[in-house]
Amino acid sequence: MIQTMKFHWDQLANNLWPEQGTAQIRPFYFEFVPLDRIFQHVYDLNLSHEENHELVSQIIEIIHFEMLTTLLDYIPEQNHVELVTRLHHESNPHVLLGGYDLSTDVVLASLRRKGQNLHETLLITLINSDTID
Amino acid sequence: MFPPSQENGYNKDKQQNMSQKVVHHHVKKLHQKAKETLAKKHPKGWAAASKKTVGSPVDMLVNKTGHLATTAALAGTLIANKSVLTAEQLTAKIKNQNVQEEQQITEVTQPQEPKFKVLQRSLTEFLPTAPKKLATGTSAIVSKRIYSILNIRAKTELDGFALNTDYGYMGAEQHLPRFPGDTISKHDQFQESGITRSRGAFGYFSPSEAALTQEAIMQEKYYVVVQSFLSPAWNKNSHQFKDWLKFRKVLVVNPNTGKAVVGVVGDAGPALWTGKQFGGSPEIIRHLNSGKHTAKTTVLVLFVDDPNNEIPLGPVGE
């Protein structure tokens, strides 16, 4: 168990770590998708180093793309590039979205719902292939 | 999580490889769809999000202080920053994480409240409101949750056989004659429900009154009616399916109450026009509805994987 955990840690640290000097943060909406159970199921699959990295990366990207799509639905198109850049430097959604003509609470509620659905979808996808034995 | 399988190592490996492939396939499809949706709906946002100079989306999840969502999820909050932990620190943190996990598992497997209440809460949070055949992924979750709470392996499909549905409405049935010449006065409970004129589709539970066993009595008390004739296996080989189905052990759960009972398949029906997919003995119907007689009960019906016949018939999770 401990060895496997260390393996996952090393693997993720080696492969997902950003280049030195980048000052980027993960987008705030990742808070709305609880990852514990998702990655517990990934862990249960006993994948190889490479397969594990690929699967974890894809899951993270699915969450990123899906949540970003929902967020951008509320933002004027001319601000999309700017917002995507700011996403990686501002963790407070109220500060991030405060300058746009929208209700931050409405956007956050929508992202929470999206996060819940996404969480359930990913869990079902992973459990679907998980055998009872 | 589950007891060791009876299968040999080769088959387990093979099964796991299959699981891994299926997961990769489905996740890849979700990934592709997420990418396409973003690119199609918000091309400028997609261009910015996928720009090489910014880094791949995976890279962008990590800040310079080292908070890594995926790692935190995998190993608890193992690491707060990028500074390297010593082997001892890492081991201690992981041990602590394991203790916490074990405590959580204990809480799940040894609930303080009645099991049927845990089951009710656990199932209703994700089951569709209107009964319908469950998606494969959902039925797998149902099986896992039932196992963790009741310690019963219950599955939609067993030995390659499945019913037309696993989640539907159950009608209230009469008693069935257990042997030729059986009458309602010989049944000890719920005589007001009456008794059918003819035996069930799978025959009498006992060849005669003299040969009536306690097991046969329990089988009639907790018999279930299923639409065997609508099941996919019926068209392929009805004789084989009927033999397999006869007095087959099933778990019936009313997700609205959490009440569950282990019974056997004792008859075929109900007719399609009734709008119900299952039938239940007077004892089953009362138990599922906390003592009330109800004409239409929402139920999950799953085959019980009990090759050594170790699980007794009757209510479970009380």
Side-chain angles (χ1 to χ4, degrees):
Chain A
M1 179 74 170
I2 291 170
Q3 276 191 337
T4 313
M5 283 290 200
K6 282 177 78 174
F7 168 78
H8 277 295
W9 161 245
D10 291 342
Q11 180 260 315
L12 285 164
N14 290 337
N15 291 288
L16 302 183
W17 212 257
E19 291 172 11
Q20 288 290 335
T22 53
Q24 295 176 352
I25 57 171
R26 66 199 169 100
F28 70 91
Y29 44 62
F30 272 85
E31 301 299 328
F32 300 145
V33 189
L35 290 167
D36 292 39
R37 284 176 64 201
I38 289 172
F39 285 101
Q40 182 60 49
H41 284 292
V42 174
Y43 164 82
D44 289 342
L45 286 169
N46 283 325
L47 298 170
S48 69
H49 183 97
E50 292 75 19
E51 288 172 332
N52 187 69
H53 174 240
E54 188 191 345
L55 191 61
V56 167
S57 301
Q58 284 187 336
I59 288 172
I60 291 170
E61 287 192 341
I62 288 167
I63 295 168
H64 182 48
F65 295 152
E66 290 277 0
M67 298 298 275
L68 184 58
T69 302
T70 301
L71 176 60
L72 293 181
D73 284 344
Y74 293 90
I75 309 291
E77 194 180 1
Q78 66 267 24
N79 299 116
H80 282 186
V81 175
E82 160 203 282
L83 181 72
V84 170
T85 306
R86 290 180 62 221
L87 260 180
H88 301 289
H89 299 277
E90 178 55 67
S91 62
N92 184 337
H94 293 279
V95 174
L96 187 71
L97 304 175
Y100 302 111
D101 184 20
L102 50 79
S103 162
T104 306
D105 289 339
V106 169
V107 178
L108 293 181
S110 176
L111 285 168
R112 273 196 196 92
R113 276 198 303 276
K114 181 73 182 179
Q116 282 170 1
N117 291 338
L118 206 47
H119 180 241
E120 189 73 6
T121 302
L122 286 166
L123 270 185
I124 287 175
T125 303
L126 292 166
I127 293 170
N128 187 10
S129 60
D130 196 5
T131 59
I132 287 175
D133 287 324
Chain B
M1 196 180 296
F2 292 94
S5 167
Q6 302 290 322
E7 294 169 329
N8 61 35
Y10 173 76
N11 282 339
K12 280 185 81 173
D13 287 349
K14 203 171 159 189
Q15 202 172 28
Q16 192 161 43
N17 285 341
M18 278 300 292
S19 295
Q20 292 168 355
K21 280 182 186 169
V22 173
V23 163
H24 273 293
H25 173 72
H26 288 299
V27 170
K28 204 172 173 182
K29 271 170 68 180
L30 286 176
H31 183 255
Q32 188 63 25
K33 185 172 160 261
K35 223 163 53 172
E36 285 173 3
T37 307
L38 177 59
K40 195 174 169 188
K41 283 185 87 175
H42 306 299
K44 288 182 180 173
W46 162 250
S50 57
K51 231 166 45 175
K52 295 283 181 195
T53 51
V54 179
S56 76
V58 171
D59 292 337
M60 291 191 290
L61 303 180
V62 188
N63 67 13
K64 67 175 178 181
T65 59
H67 183 79
L68 182 60
T70 54
T71 307
L74 269 171
T77 46
L78 265 181
I79 308 291
N81 56 53
K82 202 185 173 181
S83 62
V84 179
L85 290 181
T86 65
E88 288 77 11
Q89 284 173 316
L90 189 59
T91 305
K93 289 201 174 192
I94 291 169
K95 273 184 182 169
N96 184 41
Q97 176 75 14
N98 288 346
V99 168
Q100 286 175 7
E101 282 176 3
E102 279 167 19
Q103 283 170 347
Q104 285 168 0
I105 289 166
T106 306
E107 282 168 15
V108 171
T109 55
Q110 298 174 353
Q112 297 301 306
E113 58 185 328
K115 285 182 179 176
F116 71 86
K117 285 194 176 172
V118 180
L119 194 60
Q120 185 266 336
R121 202 177 50 244
S122 179
L123 294 177
T124 48
E125 72 181 14
F126 70 95
L127 280 175
T129 316
K132 60 179 181 183
K133 187 170 174 59
L134 297 177
T136 313
T138 311
S139 70
I141 297 177
V142 167
S143 294
K144 285 200 166 194
R145 293 194 176 183
I146 285 173
Y147 184 84
S148 70
I149 296 164
L150 298 179
N151 201 30
I152 291 175
R153 290 184 185 217
K155 303 172 179 180
T156 294
E157 185 178 320
L158 185 65
D159 299 340
F161 293 108
L163 294 171
N164 51 323
T165 187
D166 44 11
Y167 185 36
Y169 293 115
M170 175 173 270
E173 303 289 336
Q174 295 181 297
H175 283 286
L176 280 176
R178 296 162 295 185
F179 49 83
D182 192 17
T183 61
I184 189 63
S185 61
K186 292 176 180 171
H187 289 251
D188 61 0
Q189 278 188 302
F190 309 120
Q191 294 184 352
E192 67 277 17
S193 292
I195 188 167
T196 60
R197 286 187 180 181
S198 52
R199 62 186 187 176
F202 299 97
Y204 290 112
F205 296 96
S206 172
S208 67
E209 186 170 6
L212 188 65
T213 61
Q214 187 57 32
E215 185 187 15
I217 291 171
M218 293 300 282
Q219 285 178 332
E220 191 281 330
K221 271 182 187 289
Y222 299 105
Y223 84 86
V224 175
V225 182
V226 300
Q227 292 173 317
S228 50
F229 47 91
L230 293 179
S231 304
W234 187 262
N235 294 328
K236 290 179 187 167
N237 191 336
S238 59
H239 290 295
Q240 190 192 17
F241 185 47
K242 190 177 174 184
D243 287 345
W244 184 86
L245 206 54
K246 181 179 180 178
F247 305 150
R248 173 66 54 180
K249 217 174 259 186
V250 289
L251 177 73
V252 186
V253 183
N254 176 353
N256 297 320
T257 61
K259 294 282 187 171
V261 62
V262 174
V264 295
V265 174
D267 201 0
L272 201 56
W273 58 265
T274 62
K276 299 167 191 169
Q277 293 75 38
F278 303 104
S281 69
E283 280 85 351
I284 285 185
I285 293 297
R286 263 111 178 147
H287 178 70
L288 294 178
N289 295 291
S290 307
K292 291 178 195 160
H293 174 84
T294 307
K296 197 174 176 183
T297 307
T298 304
V299 290
L300 284 163
V301 176
L302 303 167
F303 293 123
V304 176
D305 190 2
D306 183 29
N308 300 320
N309 197 22
E310 292 166 333
I311 299 170
L313 301 183
V316 288
E318 292 301 293

